[in-house]
Amino acid sequence: MGFKRRMQSATGIGATLGLGLALAMGAPQVALAQEPAPLQEVIVSEGVLRPLPIAVVGFTGQYGNDISGVIRGNLRRSGFFDPLNPASFIETGLSLANQPTFPQWTSIGAEVVLYGSVTPRPDGRNDVGFRLYDTYRECQLVSYQFTATPEQWRRIAHKISDVVYQRMTGESGFFDTRVIYVAESGTQLNRLSRLAIVDQDGYNPVFLTQGDEVIMSPRFSTSNPDEVTYVALGQDYSRIYLKNLSTGRTESLGEFDGQVLAPRYSNDGSKVAFSIIRGGNTDVYTMDLRSRELRRLTSDPGIDTSPSFSPDNRRLVFTSDRSGSARLYVMNADGSGQRPISRGGGSYTAPSWSPRGDLIAFTKQQGGQFHIGVMGTDGTGERILSSSYFEEGPSWAPNGRYIMFARQTRGGDTRLWTVDLSGRVIAQAGYDGRGSSPAWSPLLDAPPANLGYGQAPDSCPS
């Protein structure tokens, strides 16, 4: 197809609040009443290569059309696909037993076609099979079958989207994921914050806390999509919590002498890095989650905060104002070798190391605006991806190609947005409620016990 080559040639409000605090000094799950907004417009700006025209035919059987609709929405939001209007389809009623009539698809400009079926099983589950064909080479690109309970149809649609994305781009997908964030309600003077979680496309939002604490800096464990950490501020305390999303179990890392900020898991899930404001100074610490041993990594007389581990856990990036303005620094996991990497003007905050290991995302304040950008791990190649009145808190998708962040209007309305590494595909995230400090989960790779899958070999030459 050449699409992979074409694609490769294209080039948290809470974190800022945490820095501001440094400068200044277990609830039941409840479904949200708010429904997701209709599909947001995806802005693909000048210079981006043409998205791949794909025909996603309505699957036959229970929830078939719903599954197809979710797949279209996922692929469209990626910016790399252009799902064609089903009203333009000439051939309908495709069966898994038959190949498409290829000229009928090429005549409407479809370069690939996806179709499938939902078949009930005697045990109450469904088999969801699908095929993806290259219409010009007239060969099968991939064929898969999932088995799941009927209520898991949306999860299956996300997993099918991931298979299609990976087959056509050569990169892993990101659709079968969730986002944890701080849900906001109320007024500027009387604002309620709650920990919340939602599917990456904006569906199934759930509150995880009741609003009796101020919530900041939620983050997933990259080794376990069921484990999250966050900061909760009460009347006279600040605590770092660890929460298991499956069991609902919540535990505190303990009481600290000082204000705690910006926790982040190591990538093997064995440690949490965070900052403590103590005695007028703010430093980075790590805690071993087994032994609960606390280790101080920085001791400079400045504000050191927002640590983020490299994928191999050997280094951390963090923000420090020790030179007079907020800059990005890297250090070894034991605190040695601290050195600045950001080189441009302005203030740098909220660094986040890419899961690929090659880039660091950040927030930058300069020229009366806030910016989301990326740079190499040595500070070279800085690029700004998005700019506005106020935006903050970049979090990587698990494939390292997309970044979610919070954007605030002058009126104080904060929403979640996404941008790709080119900076040319930017959109409001699927969840349309007010929220900040988003964090993307790893792929939900381990399917439930009642969700199996199988794959047939491709017939297209590579």
Side-chain angles (χ1 to χ4, degrees), residues 148-198:
T149 59
E151 61 269 17
Q152 291 179 308
W153 67 268
R154 181 172 288 277
R155 173 101 190 266
I156 293 298
H158 292 321
K159 295 189 77 67
I160 294 173
S161 303
D162 282 332
V163 172
V164 173
Y165 183 94
Q166 182 165 5
R167 181 62 181 86
M168 300 311 301
T169 69
E171 298 181 344
S172 62
F174 62 96
F175 303 112
D176 189 24
T177 58
R178 296 182 291 180
V179 175
I180 197 164
Y181 62 102
V182 177
E184 300 178 351
S185 58
T187 65
Q188 288 275 43
L189 298 178
N190 187 23
R191 177 160 295 183
L192 182 69
S193 70
R194 286 178 280 189
L195 184 68
I197 192 168
V198 68

Short mmCIF file of all heavy atoms in Angstrom, two decimals, residues 148-198:
data_model
loop_
_atom_site.label_atom_id
_atom_site.label_comp_id
_atom_site.label_asym_id
_atom_site.label_seq_id
_atom_site.Cartn_x
_atom_site.Cartn_y
_atom_site.Cartn_z
N ALA A 148 -16.35 -12.67 22.96
CA ALA A 148 -16.60 -11.84 24.14
C ALA A 148 -18.09 -11.86 24.47
O ALA A 148 -18.92 -12.28 23.66
CB ALA A 148 -16.14 -10.42 23.89
N THR A 149 -18.41 -11.39 25.66
CA THR A 149 -19.81 -11.25 26.03
C THR A 149 -20.43 -10.09 25.25
O THR A 149 -19.71 -9.17 24.83
CB THR A 149 -19.95 -11.00 27.53
OG1 THR A 149 -19.24 -9.80 27.87
CG2 THR A 149 -19.40 -12.16 28.33
N PRO A 150 -21.73 -10.10 25.04
CA PRO A 150 -22.35 -9.03 24.25
C PRO A 150 -22.08 -7.63 24.78
O PRO A 150 -21.88 -6.69 23.99
CB PRO A 150 -23.85 -9.37 24.32
CG PRO A 150 -23.88 -10.85 24.49
CD PRO A 150 -22.71 -11.16 25.37
N GLU A 151 -22.03 -7.46 26.11
CA GLU A 151 -21.83 -6.12 26.66
C GLU A 151 -20.41 -5.59 26.45
O GLU A 151 -20.14 -4.41 26.70
CB GLU A 151 -22.18 -6.09 28.15
CG GLU A 151 -21.36 -7.01 29.02
CD GLU A 151 -22.00 -8.38 29.17
OE1 GLU A 151 -22.87 -8.73 28.36
OE2 GLU A 151 -21.61 -9.08 30.13
N GLN A 152 -19.52 -6.43 25.98
CA GLN A 152 -18.14 -5.99 25.71
C GLN A 152 -17.95 -5.50 24.28
O GLN A 152 -16.82 -5.33 23.83
CB GLN A 152 -17.16 -7.13 25.99
CG GLN A 152 -17.04 -7.47 27.47
CD GLN A 152 -16.08 -8.63 27.69
OE1 GLN A 152 -16.20 -9.69 27.09
NE2 GLN A 152 -15.11 -8.44 28.56
N TRP A 153 -19.04 -5.21 23.59
CA TRP A 153 -18.94 -4.87 22.18
C TRP A 153 -18.08 -3.63 21.95
O TRP A 153 -17.33 -3.55 20.95
CB TRP A 153 -20.33 -4.66 21.57
CG TRP A 153 -21.08 -3.47 22.09
CD1 TRP A 153 -21.96 -3.43 23.13
CD2 TRP A 153 -21.01 -2.13 21.58
NE1 TRP A 153 -22.45 -2.15 23.31
CE2 TRP A 153 -21.88 -1.34 22.37
CE3 TRP A 153 -20.31 -1.53 20.54
CZ2 TRP A 153 -22.05 0.02 22.16
CZ3 TRP A 153 -20.47 -0.17 20.32
CH2 TRP A 153 -21.34 0.60 21.12
N ARG A 154 -18.14 -2.65 22.84
CA ARG A 154 -17.35 -1.43 22.64
C ARG A 154 -15.86 -1.72 22.79
O ARG A 154 -15.04 -1.21 22.04
CB ARG A 154 -17.82 -0.35 23.62
CG ARG A 154 -17.08 0.96 23.47
CD ARG A 154 -17.71 2.05 24.33
NE ARG A 154 -18.99 2.48 23.78
CZ ARG A 154 -19.10 3.37 22.80
NH1 ARG A 154 -18.03 3.93 22.28
NH2 ARG A 154 -20.29 3.71 22.34
N ARG A 155 -15.51 -2.54 23.79
CA ARG A 155 -14.11 -2.94 23.96
C ARG A 155 -13.62 -3.68 22.72
O ARG A 155 -12.48 -3.48 22.27
CB ARG A 155 -14.00 -3.82 25.21
CG ARG A 155 -12.63 -4.45 25.41
CD ARG A 155 -11.82 -3.74 26.44
NE ARG A 155 -10.45 -4.23 26.43
CZ ARG A 155 -9.99 -5.19 27.22
NH1 ARG A 155 -10.79 -5.76 28.11
NH2 ARG A 155 -8.72 -5.57 27.15
N ILE A 156 -14.44 -4.53 22.15
CA ILE A 156 -14.05 -5.25 20.94
C ILE A 156 -13.82 -4.27 19.79
O ILE A 156 -12.87 -4.41 19.01
CB ILE A 156 -15.13 -6.28 20.56
CG1 ILE A 156 -15.20 -7.39 21.61
CG2 ILE A 156 -14.86 -6.87 19.19
CD1 ILE A 156 -13.93 -8.18 21.76
N ALA A 157 -14.67 -3.26 19.67
CA ALA A 157 -14.48 -2.26 18.61
C ALA A 157 -13.15 -1.56 18.76
O ALA A 157 -12.45 -1.28 17.76
CB ALA A 157 -15.62 -1.25 18.65
N HIS A 158 -12.75 -1.25 20.00
CA HIS A 158 -11.45 -0.61 20.20
C HIS A 158 -10.31 -1.55 19.83
O HIS A 158 -9.31 -1.13 19.24
CB HIS A 158 -11.31 -0.18 21.66
CG HIS A 158 -12.24 0.93 22.06
ND1 HIS A 158 -12.53 1.99 21.23
CD2 HIS A 158 -12.96 1.14 23.20
CE1 HIS A 158 -13.38 2.80 21.85
NE2 HIS A 158 -13.65 2.31 23.03
N LYS A 159 -10.45 -2.84 20.16
CA LYS A 159 -9.38 -3.78 19.84
C LYS A 159 -9.28 -3.99 18.33
O LYS A 159 -8.18 -4.13 17.80
CB LYS A 159 -9.61 -5.11 20.58
CG LYS A 159 -9.51 -4.97 22.09
CD LYS A 159 -9.53 -6.30 22.80
CE LYS A 159 -8.19 -7.00 22.69
NZ LYS A 159 -7.11 -6.31 23.41
N ILE A 160 -10.41 -4.01 17.64
CA ILE A 160 -10.37 -4.11 16.18
C ILE A 160 -9.69 -2.87 15.60
O ILE A 160 -8.86 -2.97 14.68
CB ILE A 160 -11.79 -4.28 15.60
CG1 ILE A 160 -12.37 -5.63 16.03
CG2 ILE A 160 -11.77 -4.15 14.07
CD1 ILE A 160 -13.83 -5.83 15.64
N SER A 161 -10.00 -1.70 16.14
CA SER A 161 -9.35 -0.46 15.68
C SER A 161 -7.85 -0.55 15.85
O SER A 161 -7.07 -0.10 14.98
CB SER A 161 -9.90 0.74 16.46
OG SER A 161 -11.29 0.85 16.33
N ASP A 162 -7.39 -1.12 16.98
CA ASP A 162 -5.96 -1.26 17.22
C ASP A 162 -5.31 -2.18 16.19
O ASP A 162 -4.21 -1.93 15.71
CB ASP A 162 -5.71 -1.81 18.63
CG ASP A 162 -5.85 -0.74 19.70
OD1 ASP A 162 -5.62 0.44 19.41
OD2 ASP A 162 -6.19 -1.10 20.85
N VAL A 163 -6.00 -3.29 15.86
CA VAL A 163 -5.46 -4.21 14.86
C VAL A 163 -5.32 -3.52 13.50
O VAL A 163 -4.29 -3.63 12.83
CB VAL A 163 -6.35 -5.46 14.74
CG1 VAL A 163 -5.90 -6.33 13.58
CG2 VAL A 163 -6.33 -6.26 16.04
N VAL A 164 -6.35 -2.78 13.10
CA VAL A 164 -6.31 -2.08 11.81
C VAL A 164 -5.22 -1.02 11.81
O VAL A 164 -4.43 -0.92 10.86
CB VAL A 164 -7.68 -1.45 11.50
CG1 VAL A 164 -7.61 -0.58 10.25
CG2 VAL A 164 -8.75 -2.53 11.34
N TYR A 165 -5.14 -0.24 12.88
CA TYR A 165 -4.13 0.82 12.96
C TYR A 165 -2.72 0.23 12.85
O TYR A 165 -1.88 0.72 12.11
CB TYR A 165 -4.29 1.57 14.28
CG TYR A 165 -3.35 2.73 14.46
CD1 TYR A 165 -3.74 4.02 14.10
CD2 TYR A 165 -2.07 2.56 14.99
CE1 TYR A 165 -2.88 5.10 14.25
CE2 TYR A 165 -1.20 3.62 15.15
CZ TYR A 165 -1.61 4.89 14.78
OH TYR A 165 -0.75 5.95 14.93
N GLN A 166 -2.48 -0.85 13.59
CA GLN A 166 -1.13 -1.44 13.57
C GLN A 166 -0.82 -2.05 12.21
O GLN A 166 0.31 -1.91 11.71
CB GLN A 166 -1.01 -2.51 14.66
CG GLN A 166 0.38 -3.13 14.72
CD GLN A 166 0.62 -3.90 16.00
OE1 GLN A 166 -0.27 -4.06 16.83
NE2 GLN A 166 1.83 -4.37 16.19
N ARG A 167 -1.81 -2.71 11.60
CA ARG A 167 -1.54 -3.34 10.29
C ARG A 167 -1.24 -2.29 9.23
O ARG A 167 -0.39 -2.51 8.35
CB ARG A 167 -2.76 -4.17 9.86
CG ARG A 167 -2.56 -4.88 8.52
CD ARG A 167 -1.41 -5.86 8.59
NE ARG A 167 -1.17 -6.53 7.32
CZ ARG A 167 -0.42 -6.05 6.32
NH1 ARG A 167 0.16 -4.87 6.46
NH2 ARG A 167 -0.26 -6.74 5.22
N MET A 168 -1.87 -1.14 9.29
CA MET A 168 -1.71 -0.15 8.24
C MET A 168 -0.58 0.85 8.51
O MET A 168 -0.10 1.49 7.58
CB MET A 168 -3.02 0.62 8.03
CG MET A 168 -4.19 -0.25 7.63
SD MET A 168 -3.84 -1.37 6.25
CE MET A 168 -3.37 -0.22 4.97
N THR A 169 -0.19 1.02 9.75
CA THR A 169 0.86 2.01 10.06
C THR A 169 2.17 1.39 10.51
O THR A 169 3.20 2.06 10.49
CB THR A 169 0.40 2.99 11.17
OG1 THR A 169 0.32 2.29 12.42
CG2 THR A 169 -0.94 3.61 10.83
N GLY A 170 2.13 0.15 10.97
CA GLY A 170 3.33 -0.47 11.50
C GLY A 170 3.60 -0.10 12.95
O GLY A 170 4.61 -0.53 13.52
N GLU A 171 2.71 0.69 13.57
CA GLU A 171 2.86 1.08 14.97
C GLU A 171 1.71 0.50 15.78
O GLU A 171 0.63 0.26 15.25
CB GLU A 171 2.85 2.60 15.11
CG GLU A 171 3.99 3.29 14.40
CD GLU A 171 3.96 4.79 14.60
OE1 GLU A 171 2.91 5.31 15.03
OE2 GLU A 171 4.98 5.43 14.33
N SER A 172 1.95 0.29 17.06
CA SER A 172 0.88 -0.24 17.90
C SER A 172 -0.24 0.78 18.04
O SER A 172 -0.01 1.99 17.96
CB SER A 172 1.43 -0.62 19.29
OG SER A 172 1.93 0.53 19.95
N GLY A 173 -1.44 0.29 18.27
CA GLY A 173 -2.58 1.17 18.42
C GLY A 173 -2.67 1.76 19.81
O GLY A 173 -1.82 1.52 20.67
N PHE A 174 -3.72 2.53 20.05
CA PHE A 174 -3.90 3.19 21.34
C PHE A 174 -5.37 3.32 21.72
O PHE A 174 -5.72 4.03 22.66
CB PHE A 174 -3.27 4.59 21.31
CG PHE A 174 -3.89 5.52 20.30
CD1 PHE A 174 -4.88 6.42 20.66
CD2 PHE A 174 -3.49 5.48 18.96
CE1 PHE A 174 -5.46 7.27 19.73
CE2 PHE A 174 -4.07 6.32 18.03
CZ PHE A 174 -5.05 7.22 18.40
N PHE A 175 -6.24 2.60 21.01
CA PHE A 175 -7.67 2.79 21.20
C PHE A 175 -8.22 2.00 22.39
O PHE A 175 -9.16 2.46 23.04
CB PHE A 175 -8.43 2.40 19.93
CG PHE A 175 -7.98 3.17 18.72
CD1 PHE A 175 -7.30 2.55 17.69
CD2 PHE A 175 -8.22 4.54 18.63
CE1 PHE A 175 -6.88 3.26 16.57
CE2 PHE A 175 -7.79 5.26 17.52
CZ PHE A 175 -7.12 4.62 16.49
N ASP A 176 -7.66 0.84 22.68
CA ASP A 176 -8.15 0.05 23.81
C ASP A 176 -7.44 0.53 25.08
O ASP A 176 -6.65 -0.18 25.71
CB ASP A 176 -7.88 -1.43 23.57
CG ASP A 176 -8.57 -2.32 24.60
OD1 ASP A 176 -9.58 -1.87 25.18
OD2 ASP A 176 -8.09 -3.45 24.82
N THR A 177 -7.73 1.77 25.45
CA THR A 177 -7.10 2.42 26.59
C THR A 177 -8.14 3.25 27.34
O THR A 177 -9.25 3.49 26.85
CB THR A 177 -5.96 3.37 26.15
OG1 THR A 177 -6.49 4.35 25.24
CG2 THR A 177 -4.84 2.60 25.47
N ARG A 178 -7.75 3.72 28.51
CA ARG A 178 -8.57 4.62 29.30
C ARG A 178 -7.76 5.85 29.68
O ARG A 178 -6.53 5.87 29.55
CB ARG A 178 -9.09 3.92 30.55
CG ARG A 178 -10.02 2.75 30.25
CD ARG A 178 -10.55 2.11 31.51
NE ARG A 178 -9.51 1.40 32.24
CZ ARG A 178 -9.72 0.75 33.39
NH1 ARG A 178 -10.94 0.75 33.92
NH2 ARG A 178 -8.75 0.12 34.00
N VAL A 179 -8.45 6.87 30.16
CA VAL A 179 -7.81 8.12 30.59
C VAL A 179 -8.30 8.43 31.99
O VAL A 179 -9.50 8.40 32.26
CB VAL A 179 -8.15 9.28 29.64
CG1 VAL A 179 -7.59 10.60 30.17
CG2 VAL A 179 -7.62 8.99 28.24
N ILE A 180 -7.36 8.70 32.89
CA ILE A 180 -7.71 9.17 34.22
C ILE A 180 -7.44 10.66 34.27
O ILE A 180 -6.49 11.14 33.65
CB ILE A 180 -6.95 8.39 35.30
CG1 ILE A 180 -7.62 8.58 36.66
CG2 ILE A 180 -5.47 8.73 35.33
CD1 ILE A 180 -7.17 7.55 37.69
N TYR A 181 -8.26 11.41 34.98
CA TYR A 181 -8.16 12.86 34.95
C TYR A 181 -8.85 13.45 36.17
O TYR A 181 -9.49 12.73 36.96
CB TYR A 181 -8.79 13.42 33.66
CG TYR A 181 -10.26 13.14 33.54
CD1 TYR A 181 -11.21 14.11 33.82
CD2 TYR A 181 -10.71 11.88 33.14
CE1 TYR A 181 -12.57 13.84 33.72
CE2 TYR A 181 -12.07 11.59 33.05
CZ TYR A 181 -12.98 12.58 33.34
OH TYR A 181 -14.33 12.32 33.25
N VAL A 182 -8.72 14.77 36.34
CA VAL A 182 -9.41 15.47 37.40
C VAL A 182 -10.66 16.10 36.81
O VAL A 182 -10.58 17.02 35.98
CB VAL A 182 -8.52 16.54 38.05
CG1 VAL A 182 -9.31 17.30 39.12
CG2 VAL A 182 -7.27 15.91 38.66
N ALA A 183 -11.84 15.59 37.18
CA ALA A 183 -13.10 16.14 36.71
C ALA A 183 -13.42 17.39 37.52
O ALA A 183 -13.33 17.38 38.76
CB ALA A 183 -14.23 15.12 36.85
N GLU A 184 -13.78 18.46 36.85
CA GLU A 184 -14.01 19.74 37.51
C GLU A 184 -15.47 20.17 37.35
O GLU A 184 -16.06 19.98 36.30
CB GLU A 184 -13.10 20.82 36.92
CG GLU A 184 -11.61 20.51 37.08
CD GLU A 184 -10.73 21.57 36.45
OE1 GLU A 184 -11.26 22.44 35.74
OE2 GLU A 184 -9.50 21.52 36.67
N SER A 185 -16.00 20.76 38.41
CA SER A 185 -17.35 21.32 38.37
C SER A 185 -17.40 22.48 39.34
O SER A 185 -16.51 22.70 40.15
CB SER A 185 -18.39 20.26 38.75
OG SER A 185 -18.14 19.74 40.04
N GLY A 186 -18.47 23.27 39.25
CA GLY A 186 -18.61 24.43 40.12
C GLY A 186 -18.01 25.68 39.49
O GLY A 186 -17.72 25.72 38.29
N THR A 187 -17.82 26.71 40.31
CA THR A 187 -17.31 27.99 39.83
C THR A 187 -15.83 28.12 40.16
O THR A 187 -15.25 27.31 40.88
CB THR A 187 -18.08 29.15 40.49
OG1 THR A 187 -17.82 29.13 41.90
CG2 THR A 187 -19.58 29.00 40.25
N GLN A 188 -15.22 29.20 39.67
CA GLN A 188 -13.82 29.44 39.94
C GLN A 188 -13.57 29.57 41.44
O GLN A 188 -12.54 29.12 41.96
CB GLN A 188 -13.36 30.74 39.25
CG GLN A 188 -13.24 30.63 37.73
CD GLN A 188 -11.89 30.06 37.30
OE1 GLN A 188 -11.38 29.12 37.88
NE2 GLN A 188 -11.32 30.67 36.27
N LEU A 189 -14.49 30.18 42.16
CA LEU A 189 -14.30 30.40 43.60
C LEU A 189 -14.76 29.21 44.42
O LEU A 189 -14.37 29.08 45.59
CB LEU A 189 -15.06 31.66 44.03
CG LEU A 189 -14.60 32.98 43.40
CD1 LEU A 189 -15.47 34.13 43.89
CD2 LEU A 189 -13.12 33.25 43.72
N ASN A 190 -15.57 28.35 43.85
CA ASN A 190 -16.08 27.19 44.58
C ASN A 190 -16.03 25.97 43.66
O ASN A 190 -17.05 25.48 43.20
CB ASN A 190 -17.50 27.45 45.07
CG ASN A 190 -18.01 26.34 45.97
OD1 ASN A 190 -17.22 25.62 46.57
ND2 ASN A 190 -19.33 26.21 46.06
N ARG A 191 -14.80 25.51 43.40
CA ARG A 191 -14.60 24.46 42.42
C ARG A 191 -14.49 23.10 43.10
O ARG A 191 -13.80 22.95 44.11
CB ARG A 191 -13.34 24.73 41.60
CG ARG A 191 -13.01 23.64 40.58
CD ARG A 191 -12.10 24.15 39.50
NE ARG A 191 -12.76 25.17 38.69
CZ ARG A 191 -12.20 25.74 37.63
NH1 ARG A 191 -10.99 25.41 37.24
NH2 ARG A 191 -12.86 26.66 36.96
N LEU A 192 -15.18 22.13 42.54
CA LEU A 192 -15.15 20.76 43.03
C LEU A 192 -14.29 19.93 42.09
O LEU A 192 -14.47 19.97 40.87
CB LEU A 192 -16.57 20.18 43.09
CG LEU A 192 -16.72 18.76 43.63
CD1 LEU A 192 -16.42 18.73 45.13
CD2 LEU A 192 -18.13 18.25 43.35
N SER A 193 -13.34 19.19 42.65
CA SER A 193 -12.50 18.31 41.82
C SER A 193 -12.66 16.88 42.28
O SER A 193 -12.68 16.60 43.49
CB SER A 193 -11.03 18.74 41.90
OG SER A 193 -10.48 18.47 43.16
N ARG A 194 -12.79 15.97 41.31
CA ARG A 194 -12.92 14.55 41.61
C ARG A 194 -12.06 13.74 40.66
O ARG A 194 -11.92 14.08 39.48
CB ARG A 194 -14.39 14.12 41.48
CG ARG A 194 -15.27 14.58 42.62
CD ARG A 194 -16.72 14.19 42.45
NE ARG A 194 -17.41 15.11 41.54
CZ ARG A 194 -18.72 15.10 41.34
NH1 ARG A 194 -19.48 14.22 41.96
NH2 ARG A 194 -19.28 15.97 40.52
N LEU A 195 -11.49 12.69 41.17
CA LEU A 195 -10.77 11.77 40.32
C LEU A 195 -11.77 11.01 39.47
O LEU A 195 -12.78 10.51 39.98
CB LEU A 195 -9.95 10.80 41.18
CG LEU A 195 -9.06 9.80 40.44
CD1 LEU A 195 -7.91 10.53 39.75
CD2 LEU A 195 -8.51 8.76 41.41
N ALA A 196 -11.51 10.93 38.17
CA ALA A 196 -12.45 10.28 37.26
C ALA A 196 -11.69 9.49 36.21
O ALA A 196 -10.50 9.73 35.97
CB ALA A 196 -13.37 11.30 36.60
N ILE A 197 -12.36 8.56 35.59
CA ILE A 197 -11.76 7.74 34.54
C ILE A 197 -12.77 7.59 33.41
O ILE A 197 -13.99 7.60 33.63
CB ILE A 197 -11.34 6.36 35.09
CG1 ILE A 197 -10.45 5.63 34.08
CG2 ILE A 197 -12.54 5.52 35.50
CD1 ILE A 197 -9.76 4.41 34.67
N VAL A 198 -12.26 7.46 32.17
CA VAL A 198 -13.13 7.41 31.00
C VAL A 198 -12.41 6.63 29.91
O VAL A 198 -11.16 6.59 29.87
CB VAL A 198 -13.46 8.85 30.52
CG1 VAL A 198 -12.23 9.55 29.97
CG2 VAL A 198 -14.59 8.86 29.51
#
